Amino acid sequence: MDRARDRSSPPHTSAVNATWNSTPKHSIVTSSSNDLRRAIRAFLKVRTSYDVLPVSFRLIIFDTALLVKKSLNILIQNGIVSAPLWDSKTSTFAGLLTTSDYINVIQYYWHNPDALAQVDQFRLNNLRDIEKALGVTPIETVSIHPEKPLYEACRRMLESRARRIPLVDIDDETQRHMVVSVVTQYRILKFIAVNVKETENLRKPLKEINVGSYENLATAHMETPVMDVINMLVKKSISSVPILDRDGVVINVFEAVDVITLIKGGVYDDLNLTVGEALLKRNDEFPGIYTCSMYDRLDTIFDTIRKSRVHRLVVIDETNRLKGVLTLSDILEYVLLEGEGEEH
Ligand code: AMP
């Protein structure tokens, strides 16, 4: 498994130390990958979202009265890409702010460039009006009680195509909402990788299993206008677009989270850049992209998840040309849904 650190150099190997809450290993004796997936599901059914939370963590919640441009700066300053929303008028949880919301704001501005003064004054509670103006399906406000089985949190995420789910409890005294944390696909897959020792048995290479996307891939070049790439993200409901050179060699990936830096401070001029120029705006700490080949096995991919904060792997051939995209949604779906029908 490799990862590329910059735009021009070929991917290279690197490992990141894993820090995680130590939970006893769940030991299951399994023979086939079907048995193993069944075992992972059984494991998720007896664990709750509380189990995946680290010993200590911070939670940043935004009041819906906050200006959109201010929310961008806070996300950047804190190195986060989403935040639960709180309506202080009604003291209720008001959904999860994600990069899709910022992409909606971008699209609104793009279609109404004369309305910059209005866009500048958008607050988080205007996000639903922006959805309506764009005619997009409102982003479903899914959430889950932290004591519900993790399995249910996963199913809810897959059904709503959410990549993260807020944990919302009810305060015993006030009977009001209490946002506990947010659980991501990455956190859950890492929890599985760390605790279900038998992920080692997922020895089949990607070539043999039906996981990931290998056809009709959305791709772009360094010269592609960044707005075209943002439109691809929306049109295909995906969170990344591989960037190729003229020979089809993968040189980078534009990620949905990259839009946050593009419009920071509420300045929309960078939307006129090409992808190559936009990628230069990335923070120096950008960890690089992860790649794998069709011959990599799912157990080695779980190993990477255990060690590093990976969100997707670009599948390449021996000449670094694009073959496919394997995201955490694909892996979660494979583990949770494949063969699930046979159980019932
Ligand atoms: P994601 O939201 O990135 O987890 O991806 C959602 C689904 O779209 C997964 O099945 C991915 O394999 C697929 N996908 C992700 N990126 C692309 C892309 N650039 N082109 C085509 N499909 C993709």
Side-chain angles (χ1 to χ4, degrees):
M1 215 82 45
D2 304 313
R3 59 181 192 162
R5 223 160 234 295
D6 60 50
R7 301 156 254 294
S8 49
S9 61
H12 63 269
T13 309
S14 174
V16 175
N17 287 332
T19 47
W20 204 252
N21 203 356
S22 58
T23 316
K25 284 252 190 269
H26 188 81
S27 203
I28 317 154
V29 181
T30 53
S31 49
S32 71
S33 64
N34 273 349
D35 287 348
L36 178 62
R37 280 178 286 167
R38 209 169 290 135
I40 293 177
R41 292 198 281 269
F43 171 72
L44 294 175
K45 284 175 186 170
V46 295
R47 295 305 179 113
T48 73
S49 302
Y50 269 129
D51 293 325
V52 292
L53 297 182
V55 182
S56 71
F57 61 88
R58 63 184 180 159
L59 177 65
I60 295 170
I61 300 182
F62 288 159
D63 191 298
T64 50
L66 189 69
L67 283 173
V68 168
K69 62 178 177 187
K70 285 206 173 155
S71 71
L72 280 161
N73 292 345
I74 300 172
L75 291 183
I76 294 170
Q77 277 160 13
N78 288 282
I80 53 174
V81 294
S82 75
L85 298 175
W86 186 258
D87 184 337
S88 50
K89 282 203 190 117
T90 53
S91 290
T92 50
F93 164 67
L96 187 68
L97 175 74
T98 68
T99 47
S100 301
D101 293 302
Y102 293 112
I103 289 178
N104 284 344
V105 174
I106 289 176
Q107 296 217 311
Y108 183 89
Y109 165 74
W110 201 250
H111 292 126
N112 309 280
D114 298 336
L116 184 59
Q118 182 202 1
V119 174
D120 191 54
Q121 289 310 308
F122 275 152
R123 293 179 187 275
L124 298 177
N125 52 21
N126 296 127
L127 291 172
R128 300 296 161 247
D129 305 330
I130 298 169
E131 279 169 358
K132 270 191 217 137
L134 288 173
V136 295
T137 328
I139 298 154
E140 213 189 321
T141 310
V142 281
S143 67
I144 191 148
H145 191 282
E147 278 168 5
K148 289 267 184 217
L150 255 187
Y151 178 79
E152 210 175 300
C154 295
R155 290 298 297 240
R156 222 172 263 192
M157 277 201 273
L158 286 177
E159 278 155 20
S160 62
R161 301 194 60 145
R163 296 165 191 111
R164 53 192 76 230
I165 186 164
L167 306 181
V168 183
D169 205 341
I170 302 285
D171 187 291
D172 285 344
E173 280 175 22
T174 61
Q175 298 303 310
R176 289 196 162 151
H177 286 159
M178 212 168 64
V179 185
V180 175
S181 187
V182 178
V183 167
T184 60
Q185 290 178 334
Y186 174 73
R187 231 175 234 280
I188 294 175
L189 285 168
K190 178 159 178 172
F191 186 65
I192 295 172
V194 169
N195 294 295
V196 183
K197 199 170 152 278
E198 289 75 5
T199 49
E200 290 155 16
N201 290 348
L202 288 170
R203 292 219 178 87
K204 290 203 178 138
L206 296 183
K207 206 172 170 24
E208 278 179 35
I209 52 177
N210 186 21
V211 56
S213 301
Y214 300 90
E215 280 165 19
N216 301 321
L217 298 173
T219 62
H221 299 289
M222 285 299 203
E223 309 74 42
T224 310
V226 74
M227 249 338 266
D228 289 2
V229 180
I230 294 175
N231 289 333
M232 283 179 204
L233 295 174
V234 177
K235 212 165 141 213
K236 296 196 94 160
S237 296
I238 50 176
S239 66
S240 68
V241 173
I243 310 299
L244 313 180
D245 73 5
R246 291 285 156 202
D247 298 321
V249 169
V250 178
I251 44 179
N252 214 321
V253 173
F254 185 87
E255 301 174 5
V257 294
D258 287 317
V259 302
I260 293 179
T261 10
L262 268 188
I263 53 167
K264 81 173 168 207
V267 182
Y268 293 81
D269 298 347
D270 285 351
L271 296 176
N272 294 307
L273 298 179
T274 63
V275 180
E277 290 162 339
L279 290 176
L280 286 172
K281 305 257 165 187
R282 259 181 188 159
N283 187 316
D284 286 345
E285 281 158 30
F286 178 71
I289 64 166
Y290 287 81
T291 60
C292 67
S293 87
M294 296 292 278
Y295 300 98
D296 273 312
R297 300 177 328 213
L298 213 48
D299 60 332
T300 56
I301 288 164
F302 264 103
D303 209 33
T304 304
I305 292 174
R306 185 159 48 232
K307 292 180 186 144
S308 322
R309 191 177 272 274
V310 51
H311 295 289
R312 64 192 62 79
L313 295 114
V314 183
V315 188
I316 52 173
D317 66 12
E318 50 293 339
T319 59
N320 290 338
R321 285 185 174 79
L322 181 70
K323 298 296 283 181
V325 179
L326 174 67
T327 74
L328 298 188
S329 322
D330 296 320
I331 303 176
L332 205 57
E333 197 168 313
Y334 176 75
V335 169
L336 252 76
L337 303 186
E338 288 252 337
E340 171 74 327
E342 298 155 25
E343 278 173 41
H344 298 297

